[in-house]
Amino acid sequence: MAKITWPGATLLAPVPAVIVTSGTVEKPNAATVAWTGIVNSEPPMTYISLRKSRHSHKIISQTGEFVINLTTGSLAKATDACGVYTGAKMDKIKAYSLTPEKASKVSCPTLAQSPLCLECKVTEVKELGSHDMFLAEIVAVDVEENLVDENGKLDLKKANLLAYSHGDYVQLGKKIGSFGFAVKKKKKGSGKA
């Protein structure tokens, strides 16, 4: 199929729709971030990108810590609101009935409603133009017990995770394969992969 060429743009999709918490348990802040991802395995590293004008930017610049809280379909409204409103003018956590909880390795809170939380310590801030990128080491991961099976394996499919795709929130759903399925060899005699 023929393609047309546009100027460079931020059209990678879908992307995570996460709520980033900062501040303290007593005075928490929450902001929705879609510019995030994993950048390294050893040590485990992530990033978030924020505009300098954002309330969260100021807090994270001062503390050097944040938590990435994965979101679910049931958190869609709170996720959207935390991206629309500023924590400088409203307590989004209270307004959207989110529950801050003490993290294990950082001073900012996790969210009780999040099935998986990445506790992060900033290692570097890169000024990129419209956004600053906060590179951070993932120092702890908090996981809901019901997402871990009897063998200790994480099953995030049970979490009904939320993603953001070109202006829309979508709940992840149908599994179509697992890592390596395209190259897995067939078992002899079974005819199955």
Side-chain angles (χ1 to χ4, degrees):
M1 181 173 282
K3 292 187 171 81
I4 59 172
T5 302
W6 292 346
T10 58
L11 291 179
L12 178 65
V15 294
V18 301
I19 297 176
V20 172
T21 46
S22 56
T24 63
V25 173
E26 298 77 28
K27 191 171 181 185
N29 181 64
T32 299
V33 172
W35 298 167
T36 185
I38 299 298
V39 295
N40 198 55
S41 299
E42 294 294 329
M45 301 280 295
T46 187
Y47 77 94
I48 58 170
S49 291
L50 299 169
R51 291 184 183 275
K52 285 183 181 175
S53 60
R54 300 303 232 166
H55 184 61
S56 296
H57 187 291
K58 179 181 175 185
I59 295 169
I60 295 168
S61 294
Q62 291 171 351
T63 66
E65 298 178 334
F66 59 89
V67 174
I68 294 174
N69 301 274
L70 299 189
T71 59
T72 63
S74 62
L75 285 170
K77 187 173 181 179
T79 302
D80 185 57
C82 287
V84 173
Y85 297 114
T86 176
K89 295 183 180 177
M90 92 181 279
D91 183 345
K92 296 180 274 187
I93 289 182
K94 185 176 182 180
Y96 289 90
S97 302
L98 298 171
T99 309
E101 292 185 325
K102 184 174 175 21
S104 63
K105 302 279 186 190
V106 296
S107 59
C108 48
T110 64
L111 292 177
Q113 292 85 350
S114 174
L116 189 139
C117 310
L118 303 174
E119 298 182 33
C120 304
K121 291 193 179 201
V122 176
T123 60
E124 182 181 349
V125 180
K126 291 188 71 72
E127 293 186 39
L128 299 174
S130 63
H131 289 66
D132 284 351
M133 181 172 64
F134 292 84
L135 285 169
E137 183 173 351
I138 302 166
V139 296
V141 179
D142 306 294
V143 182
E144 281 184 1
E145 289 179 354
N146 67 328
L147 298 179
V148 180
D149 70 18
E150 62 278 352
N151 298 315
K153 185 178 178 187
L154 176 63
D155 185 1
L156 270 178
K157 292 182 297 297
K158 293 180 184 177
N160 300 313
L161 294 177
L162 194 64
Y164 185 75
S165 184
H166 197 59
D168 295 323
Y169 296 98
V170 293
Q171 188 170 304
L172 302 181
K174 182 181 174 186
K175 176 182 173 180
I176 58 171
S178 294
F179 181 75
F181 85 101
V183 297
K184 191 173 185 178
K185 295 187 183 203
K186 292 182 180 181
K187 294 179 184 177
K188 288 186 179 183
S190 73
K192 296 180 181 178

